Amino acid sequence: MASVPMEHGLLLAGILFGLGFLGVLVRRNIVFMLMCVEIMLNAAALAFVAAGSRWAQPDGQVMFIFILTVAAAEVAVGLALVLQFYRGFRTVDMDAADRMRG
Amino acid sequence: MIDLLWLIPALPFAGFLVLILAGSRLPRIVVAVLGAGSVGFSAVVACLIGIEFISSPLVKTSFTRTVWTWMSFEGFSPSTSFCLDSLSLLMVLVVTVVGFLIHLYSVEFMADDDAYHRYFAYMNLFVTAMLVLVLADNLMLLYLGWEGVGLCSYLLIGFWYKDPVNARAAMKAFVMTRIGDTGMIVGLFLLYNSLGTLEIHELMVRAVRDWPVGSVMATVAAALLLCGALGKSAQLPLQTWLPDAMAGPTPVSALIHAATMVTAGVYLIARTHELFALAPAVQAAVAVIGVATLLVAGFSALAQQDLKRVLAYSTISQIGYMFLALGVGAWSAAMFHFAIHAFFKSLLFLGAGAIIMSTHHEQNMFRLGGLRTQLPVTFWTFLAGAASLAALPLITSGFYSKDAILWYAWSSEKGSVWLWLGGVAGALLTSIYTFRMVFLIFFGEARTKVYKRPGTAMLVPLIVLAVLSMVAGFIELPHTLGDVRLFSGYLGAVLPPVPIPPGQASLEGILGIVAAAVSVVGICLAYLLFLKVPQIADRAASTLAGRALHRLWLEGCGFDWLYQRLLVFPFVTIARINRSDFIDFFYQLAAFLAEGLHQGLSATQTGRTRHYAVGIGVGALIIIGMAVWL
């Protein structure tokens, strides 16, 4: 089985991470921001998997499962926060929450 | 019993501690019992100790009890020790007994005040400090009490601190007395440096041994101690704080600014009289200052409209008499006048308080009048105090104490005709302004309504003090009139008698008659000018010279005006010029930089999550870049 070169995997992970970060920066909708953070997490996980396959180590897969767990917990907390945010501000626009200015 | 000497100041101090810590949670009745009771117990202990002390052979010497060593530093170890001799016993008795009567009076007088516990806490602290002052056996402890009474005076003058006028009066009293105290503390340094001790008895022994009469050191030391005494006792030129100190509650004026604290200067000089005897120039200055003060204050009292200010000027003037007596070496006459003055002046202040309370805070004598029938007890007791102040011959205590001072002012080796003349002129002024006050308040037509009559707690102190100011004088009668010497004999162990040159003794009777005549003439003049034909006084006051004099006297002979122009104004001007000086520029630059940085950093805190995310991203890029390329 011809293995995918590690560089390709890392490049894809880098692109995904950059896209996710860009999404966090440009989107104002808090739900989309949360989804972009998920993309960034997955990009990091992909980098682990790529590196694990390059050195034939199981640690990369272990870290992937670990990140999956963290992402699940993060979504649970994040969605709860989004709900509270919506209740408080009656909007999902993140820029509405700027009371900490100055 | 005498071993319990420490209990006398400790009782009021315990009262102070309880009241200041828990007073706001206690019911008013408990506060009153604690406040007045602690001083009352202290008075009882003082009386018991006094009886034991007088009947024991100790009365010829003194009794010292060290409670603990205050501090110990390279051989300088002032102890907290109390010394009882006949002089300090006299002071203790006056402070506790008069103090208790005034506390009792305050229970009713202050009954409607919100800060009831604060008032009694300060009053108890004052009594403690005053007792420490008079019982101290070294000048260091005396100075502690000295500053303690100053602090309490400040706190109580500004008791109603919500009115800025009162707060300013308190500040004025504090600053003015501080000027004198600075001189006094320098004097203490000087005494310790040159004589190596501050223990009063030892200090006097060493001073007499080391310094000849009239030596420079003795003169400077005595002059510096005199500074402190002038400030505390409101004598020229530091007298201007006392009339303003009337901003405090009236019982405070009675206790602090008439009976006890303001006579601390007299006590200090009597206590260190050996030192003053070594410095004849300073002692002569004491007599001259006394006469000048009693005349200035007497004239000022003549023109006042505010009842309490008349009494304030009268206090300054009467302390002037005590200074005159100290200046001519009549130490025990000064202390005699102190004791009698404590009785009649606190009586007059308490009477004034009763009048002020009955008429809803009317202090202007020209708006009072005809109160004789409406407040009979107050009238008769006030009359007793006024007669004593005016030295009505034969029947009042004030006559005997003032007569003794006038006699010694003439006949003592250090006295002179001029001092006597000044004293007699002052006596004439005293009886005029005193009875002007009596006639304006109690006689004539009624100009105000009486809303409320003083109750028992206020009348009992008035009656007791009235009796004391009539009969207390009979323990010391002049040679020509019974020759009773109980008082000066009692003080003889501490204060030596006045040496009278031969050939003067025959004059005593004549001088006594002159003093008596002056007092009676003054009362008649007051009757004529202010009750019978007030037109004369009005016409005299409406001429050009009369108006100018009246204004001058009303403002206390212009000392405030002078100090304002001479000291306050230049100081404020210099301060204003200095406000924007060169050094300030650097500090302002630092402030400006801090302000700019603050503005810049504050702007980065937009409160938007996405802006913060940009910050995190850029930071991460920079760190990764540094890790890769550096």
Side-chain angles (χ1 to χ4, degrees), chain B residues 55-82:
Chain B
S55 55
S56 75
L58 279 171
V59 72
K60 296 279 171 234
T61 55
S62 66
F63 170 83
T64 309
R65 173 68 72 230
T66 302
V67 186
W68 68 78
T69 302
W70 185 2
M71 54 177 126
S72 184
F73 180 72
E74 299 205 350
F76 174 65
S77 51
S79 55
T80 305
S81 52
F82 299 124

PDB file of all heavy atoms in Angstrom, chain B residues 55-82:
ATOM      1  N   SER B  55      -4.081  62.900 106.082  1.00  0.00           N
ATOM      2  CA  SER B  55      -3.952  62.538 107.486  1.00  0.00           C
ATOM      3  C   SER B  55      -2.662  61.761 107.771  1.00  0.00           C
ATOM      4  O   SER B  55      -2.353  61.501 108.922  1.00  0.00           O
ATOM      5  CB  SER B  55      -5.158  61.703 107.925  1.00  0.00           C
ATOM      6  OG  SER B  55      -5.276  60.594 107.063  1.00  0.00           O
ATOM      7  N   SER B  56      -1.901  61.402 106.710  1.00  0.00           N
ATOM      8  CA  SER B  56      -0.656  60.671 106.944  1.00  0.00           C
ATOM      9  C   SER B  56       0.525  61.648 106.907  1.00  0.00           C
ATOM     10  O   SER B  56       0.397  62.766 106.409  1.00  0.00           O
ATOM     11  CB  SER B  56      -0.466  59.605 105.860  1.00  0.00           C
ATOM     12  OG  SER B  56      -0.074  60.236 104.673  1.00  0.00           O
ATOM     13  N   PRO B  57       1.683  61.237 107.433  1.00  0.00           N
ATOM     14  CA  PRO B  57       2.849  62.137 107.400  1.00  0.00           C
ATOM     15  C   PRO B  57       3.377  62.378 105.993  1.00  0.00           C
ATOM     16  O   PRO B  57       4.190  63.270 105.786  1.00  0.00           O
ATOM     17  CB  PRO B  57       3.887  61.396 108.258  1.00  0.00           C
ATOM     18  CG  PRO B  57       3.439  59.989 108.305  1.00  0.00           C
ATOM     19  CD  PRO B  57       1.961  60.000 108.184  1.00  0.00           C
ATOM     20  N   LEU B  58       2.885  61.585 105.024  1.00  0.00           N
ATOM     21  CA  LEU B  58       3.334  61.756 103.643  1.00  0.00           C
ATOM     22  C   LEU B  58       3.048  63.147 103.104  1.00  0.00           C
ATOM     23  O   LEU B  58       3.685  63.598 102.149  1.00  0.00           O
ATOM     24  CB  LEU B  58       2.621  60.736 102.749  1.00  0.00           C
ATOM     25  CG  LEU B  58       3.174  59.319 102.716  1.00  0.00           C
ATOM     26  CD1 LEU B  58       2.221  58.438 101.959  1.00  0.00           C
ATOM     27  CD2 LEU B  58       4.539  59.310 102.071  1.00  0.00           C
ATOM     28  N   VAL B  59       2.076  63.832 103.727  1.00  0.00           N
ATOM     29  CA  VAL B  59       1.624  65.105 103.170  1.00  0.00           C
ATOM     30  C   VAL B  59       2.756  66.123 103.116  1.00  0.00           C
ATOM     31  O   VAL B  59       2.755  67.060 102.325  1.00  0.00           O
ATOM     32  CB  VAL B  59       0.413  65.640 103.966  1.00  0.00           C
ATOM     33  CG1 VAL B  59       0.843  66.143 105.333  1.00  0.00           C
ATOM     34  CG2 VAL B  59      -0.326  66.695 103.193  1.00  0.00           C
ATOM     35  N   LYS B  60       3.759  65.911 103.977  1.00  0.00           N
ATOM     36  CA  LYS B  60       4.896  66.852 103.978  1.00  0.00           C
ATOM     37  C   LYS B  60       5.852  66.572 102.815  1.00  0.00           C
ATOM     38  O   LYS B  60       6.691  67.390 102.487  1.00  0.00           O
ATOM     39  CB  LYS B  60       5.668  66.733 105.309  1.00  0.00           C
ATOM     40  CG  LYS B  60       4.841  67.149 106.507  1.00  0.00           C
ATOM     41  CD  LYS B  60       4.829  68.665 106.650  1.00  0.00           C
ATOM     42  CE  LYS B  60       3.838  69.074 107.710  1.00  0.00           C
ATOM     43  NZ  LYS B  60       2.873  70.042 107.206  1.00  0.00           N
ATOM     44  N   THR B  61       5.801  65.358 102.280  1.00  0.00           N
ATOM     45  CA  THR B  61       6.706  65.043 101.166  1.00  0.00           C
ATOM     46  C   THR B  61       5.881  64.663  99.951  1.00  0.00           C
ATOM     47  O   THR B  61       5.079  65.454  99.489  1.00  0.00           O
ATOM     48  CB  THR B  61       7.654  63.897 101.554  1.00  0.00           C
ATOM     49  OG1 THR B  61       6.878  62.787 101.973  1.00  0.00           O
ATOM     50  CG2 THR B  61       8.601  64.317 102.653  1.00  0.00           C
ATOM     51  N   SER B  62       6.102  63.483  99.454  1.00  0.00           N
ATOM     52  CA  SER B  62       5.295  63.048  98.326  1.00  0.00           C
ATOM     53  C   SER B  62       5.307  61.528  98.289  1.00  0.00           C
ATOM     54  O   SER B  62       6.098  60.882  98.974  1.00  0.00           O
ATOM     55  CB  SER B  62       5.847  63.604  97.010  1.00  0.00           C
ATOM     56  OG  SER B  62       7.101  63.030  96.764  1.00  0.00           O
ATOM     57  N   PHE B  63       4.405  60.985  97.488  1.00  0.00           N
ATOM     58  CA  PHE B  63       4.258  59.549  97.388  1.00  0.00           C
ATOM     59  C   PHE B  63       4.347  59.188  95.908  1.00  0.00           C
ATOM     60  O   PHE B  63       3.603  59.718  95.092  1.00  0.00           O
ATOM     61  CB  PHE B  63       2.900  59.130  97.961  1.00  0.00           C
ATOM     62  CG  PHE B  63       2.544  57.698  97.683  1.00  0.00           C
ATOM     63  CD1 PHE B  63       3.036  56.686  98.485  1.00  0.00           C
ATOM     64  CD2 PHE B  63       1.728  57.378  96.609  1.00  0.00           C
ATOM     65  CE1 PHE B  63       2.709  55.376  98.225  1.00  0.00           C
ATOM     66  CE2 PHE B  63       1.404  56.058  96.352  1.00  0.00           C
ATOM     67  CZ  PHE B  63       1.895  55.063  97.162  1.00  0.00           C
ATOM     68  N   THR B  64       5.295  58.309  95.571  1.00  0.00           N
ATOM     69  CA  THR B  64       5.472  57.935  94.169  1.00  0.00           C
ATOM     70  C   THR B  64       5.272  56.443  94.008  1.00  0.00           C
ATOM     71  O   THR B  64       5.757  55.658  94.814  1.00  0.00           O
ATOM     72  CB  THR B  64       6.879  58.311  93.672  1.00  0.00           C
ATOM     73  OG1 THR B  64       7.104  59.678  94.000  1.00  0.00           O
ATOM     74  CG2 THR B  64       6.984  58.126  92.181  1.00  0.00           C
ATOM     75  N   ARG B  65       4.552  56.056  92.990  1.00  0.00           N
ATOM     76  CA  ARG B  65       4.335  54.646  92.725  1.00  0.00           C
ATOM     77  C   ARG B  65       4.586  54.409  91.241  1.00  0.00           C
ATOM     78  O   ARG B  65       3.939  55.016  90.393  1.00  0.00           O
ATOM     79  CB  ARG B  65       2.892  54.258  93.100  1.00  0.00           C
ATOM     80  CG  ARG B  65       2.488  52.866  92.718  1.00  0.00           C
ATOM     81  CD  ARG B  65       3.192  51.750  93.492  1.00  0.00           C
ATOM     82  NE  ARG B  65       2.752  51.635  94.869  1.00  0.00           N
ATOM     83  CZ  ARG B  65       3.585  51.575  95.902  1.00  0.00           C
ATOM     84  NH1 ARG B  65       4.881  51.621  95.710  1.00  0.00           N
ATOM     85  NH2 ARG B  65       3.140  51.474  97.140  1.00  0.00           N
ATOM     86  N   THR B  66       5.569  53.542  90.948  1.00  0.00           N
ATOM     87  CA  THR B  66       5.865  53.224  89.552  1.00  0.00           C
ATOM     88  C   THR B  66       4.967  52.079  89.107  1.00  0.00           C
ATOM     89  O   THR B  66       4.905  51.045  89.761  1.00  0.00           O
ATOM     90  CB  THR B  66       7.327  52.807  89.398  1.00  0.00           C
ATOM     91  OG1 THR B  66       8.144  53.880  89.863  1.00  0.00           O
ATOM     92  CG2 THR B  66       7.656  52.530  87.938  1.00  0.00           C
ATOM     93  N   VAL B  67       4.263  52.285  88.018  1.00  0.00           N
ATOM     94  CA  VAL B  67       3.379  51.234  87.519  1.00  0.00           C
ATOM     95  C   VAL B  67       4.131  50.323  86.573  1.00  0.00           C
ATOM     96  O   VAL B  67       4.109  49.118  86.710  1.00  0.00           O
ATOM     97  CB  VAL B  67       2.147  51.860  86.836  1.00  0.00           C
ATOM     98  CG1 VAL B  67       1.164  50.781  86.459  1.00  0.00           C
ATOM     99  CG2 VAL B  67       1.488  52.862  87.758  1.00  0.00           C
ATOM    100  N   TRP B  68       4.802  50.885  85.594  1.00  0.00           N
ATOM    101  CA  TRP B  68       5.702  50.105  84.753  1.00  0.00           C
ATOM    102  C   TRP B  68       6.691  51.063  84.102  1.00  0.00           C
ATOM    103  O   TRP B  68       6.490  52.269  84.108  1.00  0.00           O
ATOM    104  CB  TRP B  68       4.952  49.278  83.715  1.00  0.00           C
ATOM    105  CG  TRP B  68       4.272  50.074  82.647  1.00  0.00           C
ATOM    106  CD1 TRP B  68       4.851  50.651  81.553  1.00  0.00           C
ATOM    107  CD2 TRP B  68       2.882  50.404  82.558  1.00  0.00           C
ATOM    108  NE1 TRP B  68       3.919  51.309  80.816  1.00  0.00           N
ATOM    109  CE2 TRP B  68       2.707  51.175  81.392  1.00  0.00           C
ATOM    110  CE3 TRP B  68       1.758  50.105  83.348  1.00  0.00           C
ATOM    111  CZ2 TRP B  68       1.465  51.667  81.004  1.00  0.00           C
ATOM    112  CZ3 TRP B  68       0.536  50.600  82.937  1.00  0.00           C
ATOM    113  CH2 TRP B  68       0.386  51.360  81.790  1.00  0.00           C
ATOM    114  N   THR B  69       7.744  50.485  83.528  1.00  0.00           N
ATOM    115  CA  THR B  69       8.697  51.316  82.795  1.00  0.00           C
ATOM    116  C   THR B  69       8.164  51.518  81.397  1.00  0.00           C
ATOM    117  O   THR B  69       7.852  50.575  80.693  1.00  0.00           O
ATOM    118  CB  THR B  69      10.064  50.627  82.735  1.00  0.00           C
ATOM    119  OG1 THR B  69      10.490  50.393  84.068  1.00  0.00           O
ATOM    120  CG2 THR B  69      11.074  51.498  82.025  1.00  0.00           C
ATOM    121  N   TRP B  70       8.060  52.777  81.036  1.00  0.00           N
ATOM    122  CA  TRP B  70       7.424  53.097  79.765  1.00  0.00           C
ATOM    123  C   TRP B  70       8.288  52.595  78.613  1.00  0.00           C
ATOM    124  O   TRP B  70       7.855  51.853  77.754  1.00  0.00           O
ATOM    125  CB  TRP B  70       7.215  54.608  79.697  1.00  0.00           C
ATOM    126  CG  TRP B  70       6.473  55.070  78.498  1.00  0.00           C
ATOM    127  CD1 TRP B  70       5.944  54.309  77.505  1.00  0.00           C
ATOM    128  CD2 TRP B  70       6.179  56.419  78.176  1.00  0.00           C
ATOM    129  NE1 TRP B  70       5.337  55.093  76.587  1.00  0.00           N
ATOM    130  CE2 TRP B  70       5.456  56.392  76.964  1.00  0.00           C
ATOM    131  CE3 TRP B  70       6.434  57.649  78.779  1.00  0.00           C
ATOM    132  CZ2 TRP B  70       5.021  57.556  76.365  1.00  0.00           C
ATOM    133  CZ3 TRP B  70       5.993  58.794  78.180  1.00  0.00           C
ATOM    134  CH2 TRP B  70       5.288  58.744  76.982  1.00  0.00           C
ATOM    135  N   MET B  71       9.552  53.032  78.633  1.00  0.00           N
ATOM    136  CA  MET B  71      10.472  52.551  77.609  1.00  0.00           C
ATOM    137  C   MET B  71      11.870  52.638  78.192  1.00  0.00           C
ATOM    138  O   MET B  71      12.100  53.328  79.187  1.00  0.00           O
ATOM    139  CB  MET B  71      10.378  53.391  76.343  1.00  0.00           C
ATOM    140  CG  MET B  71      10.575  54.879  76.579  1.00  0.00           C
ATOM    141  SD  MET B  71      10.534  55.778  75.050  1.00  0.00           S
ATOM    142  CE  MET B  71       9.293  56.999  75.324  1.00  0.00           C
ATOM    143  N   SER B  72      12.796  51.893  77.606  1.00  0.00           N
ATOM    144  CA  SER B  72      14.150  51.927  78.109  1.00  0.00           C
ATOM    145  C   SER B  72      15.088  51.978  76.926  1.00  0.00           C
ATOM    146  O   SER B  72      15.079  51.102  76.073  1.00  0.00           O
ATOM    147  CB  SER B  72      14.421  50.678  78.950  1.00  0.00           C
ATOM    148  OG  SER B  72      15.703  50.772  79.506  1.00  0.00           O
ATOM    149  N   PHE B  73      15.877  53.044  76.840  1.00  0.00           N
ATOM    150  CA  PHE B  73      16.703  53.219  75.653  1.00  0.00           C
ATOM    151  C   PHE B  73      17.986  53.929  76.041  1.00  0.00           C
ATOM    152  O   PHE B  73      17.978  55.120  76.326  1.00  0.00           O
ATOM    153  CB  PHE B  73      15.929  54.026  74.611  1.00  0.00           C
ATOM    154  CG  PHE B  73      16.700  54.264  73.358  1.00  0.00           C
ATOM    155  CD1 PHE B  73      16.941  53.229  72.468  1.00  0.00           C
ATOM    156  CD2 PHE B  73      17.196  55.522  73.082  1.00  0.00           C
ATOM    157  CE1 PHE B  73      17.659  53.455  71.322  1.00  0.00           C
ATOM    158  CE2 PHE B  73      17.915  55.745  71.925  1.00  0.00           C
ATOM    159  CZ  PHE B  73      18.154  54.709  71.043  1.00  0.00           C
ATOM    160  N   GLU B  74      19.070  53.182  76.095  1.00  0.00           N
ATOM    161  CA  GLU B  74      20.391  53.728  76.371  1.00  0.00           C
ATOM    162  C   GLU B  74      20.374  54.676  77.561  1.00  0.00           C
ATOM    163  O   GLU B  74      20.807  55.818  77.473  1.00  0.00           O
ATOM    164  CB  GLU B  74      20.926  54.444  75.125  1.00  0.00           C
ATOM    165  CG  GLU B  74      21.064  53.489  73.954  1.00  0.00           C
ATOM    166  CD  GLU B  74      22.107  53.952  72.953  1.00  0.00           C
ATOM    167  OE1 GLU B  74      22.562  55.091  73.076  1.00  0.00           O
ATOM    168  OE2 GLU B  74      22.464  53.143  72.092  1.00  0.00           O
ATOM    169  N   GLY B  75      19.870  54.193  78.644  1.00  0.00           N
ATOM    170  CA  GLY B  75      19.909  54.990  79.867  1.00  0.00           C
ATOM    171  C   GLY B  75      18.739  55.942  80.017  1.00  0.00           C
ATOM    172  O   GLY B  75      18.490  56.456  81.098  1.00  0.00           O
ATOM    173  N   PHE B  76      18.007  56.185  78.918  1.00  0.00           N
ATOM    174  CA  PHE B  76      16.827  57.035  79.010  1.00  0.00           C
ATOM    175  C   PHE B  76      15.624  56.130  79.232  1.00  0.00           C
ATOM    176  O   PHE B  76      15.224  55.414  78.328  1.00  0.00           O
ATOM    177  CB  PHE B  76      16.671  57.829  77.715  1.00  0.00           C
ATOM    178  CG  PHE B  76      15.412  58.633  77.660  1.00  0.00           C
ATOM    179  CD1 PHE B  76      15.211  59.671  78.550  1.00  0.00           C
ATOM    180  CD2 PHE B  76      14.428  58.352  76.727  1.00  0.00           C
ATOM    181  CE1 PHE B  76      14.053  60.417  78.498  1.00  0.00           C
ATOM    182  CE2 PHE B  76      13.264  59.087  76.676  1.00  0.00           C
ATOM    183  CZ  PHE B  76      13.090  60.131  77.566  1.00  0.00           C
ATOM    184  N   SER B  77      15.136  56.098  80.461  1.00  0.00           N
ATOM    185  CA  SER B  77      14.032  55.187  80.725  1.00  0.00           C
ATOM    186  C   SER B  77      12.953  55.872  81.553  1.00  0.00           C
ATOM    187  O   SER B  77      12.901  55.710  82.769  1.00  0.00           O
ATOM    188  CB  SER B  77      14.534  53.939  81.450  1.00  0.00           C
ATOM    189  OG  SER B  77      15.305  54.333  82.553  1.00  0.00           O
ATOM    190  N   PRO B  78      12.117  56.667  80.890  1.00  0.00           N
ATOM    191  CA  PRO B  78      11.006  57.272  81.620  1.00  0.00           C
ATOM    192  C   PRO B  78      10.034  56.177  82.045  1.00  0.00           C
ATOM    193  O   PRO B  78       9.738  55.270  81.269  1.00  0.00           O
ATOM    194  CB  PRO B  78      10.367  58.201  80.594  1.00  0.00           C
ATOM    195  CG  PRO B  78      10.735  57.615  79.286  1.00  0.00           C
ATOM    196  CD  PRO B  78      12.067  56.976  79.466  1.00  0.00           C
ATOM    197  N   SER B  79       9.587  56.230  83.284  1.00  0.00           N
ATOM    198  CA  SER B  79       8.662  55.209  83.758  1.00  0.00           C
ATOM    199  C   SER B  79       7.266  55.796  83.810  1.00  0.00           C
ATOM    200  O   SER B  79       7.084  57.004  83.892  1.00  0.00           O
ATOM    201  CB  SER B  79       9.081  54.741  85.140  1.00  0.00           C
ATOM    202  OG  SER B  79       9.172  55.857  85.987  1.00  0.00           O
ATOM    203  N   THR B  80       6.292  54.906  83.714  1.00  0.00           N
ATOM    204  CA  THR B  80       4.927  55.335  83.931  1.00  0.00           C
ATOM    205  C   THR B  80       4.707  55.302  85.438  1.00  0.00           C
ATOM    206  O   THR B  80       4.286  54.302  85.984  1.00  0.00           O
ATOM    207  CB  THR B  80       3.963  54.380  83.224  1.00  0.00           C
ATOM    208  OG1 THR B  80       4.340  54.308  81.861  1.00  0.00           O
ATOM    209  CG2 THR B  80       2.537  54.859  83.330  1.00  0.00           C
ATOM    210  N   SER B  81       5.060  56.398  86.086  1.00  0.00           N
ATOM    211  CA  SER B  81       4.878  56.383  87.531  1.00  0.00           C
ATOM    212  C   SER B  81       4.122  57.636  87.951  1.00  0.00           C
ATOM    213  O   SER B  81       4.292  58.710  87.385  1.00  0.00           O
ATOM    214  CB  SER B  81       6.216  56.282  88.240  1.00  0.00           C
ATOM    215  OG  SER B  81       7.073  57.261  87.760  1.00  0.00           O
ATOM    216  N   PHE B  82       3.273  57.419  88.929  1.00  0.00           N
ATOM    217  CA  PHE B  82       2.415  58.497  89.385  1.00  0.00           C
ATOM    218  C   PHE B  82       2.927  59.025  90.710  1.00  0.00           C
ATOM    219  O   PHE B  82       3.329  58.262  91.589  1.00  0.00           O
ATOM    220  CB  PHE B  82       0.980  58.014  89.517  1.00  0.00           C
ATOM    221  CG  PHE B  82       0.408  57.545  88.219  1.00  0.00           C
ATOM    222  CD1 PHE B  82      -0.111  56.273  88.088  1.00  0.00           C
ATOM    223  CD2 PHE B  82       0.411  58.379  87.111  1.00  0.00           C
ATOM    224  CE1 PHE B  82      -0.624  55.844  86.879  1.00  0.00           C
ATOM    225  CE2 PHE B  82      -0.096  57.963  85.904  1.00  0.00           C
ATOM    226  CZ  PHE B  82      -0.620  56.683  85.793  1.00  0.00           C
TER     227      PHE B  82
END
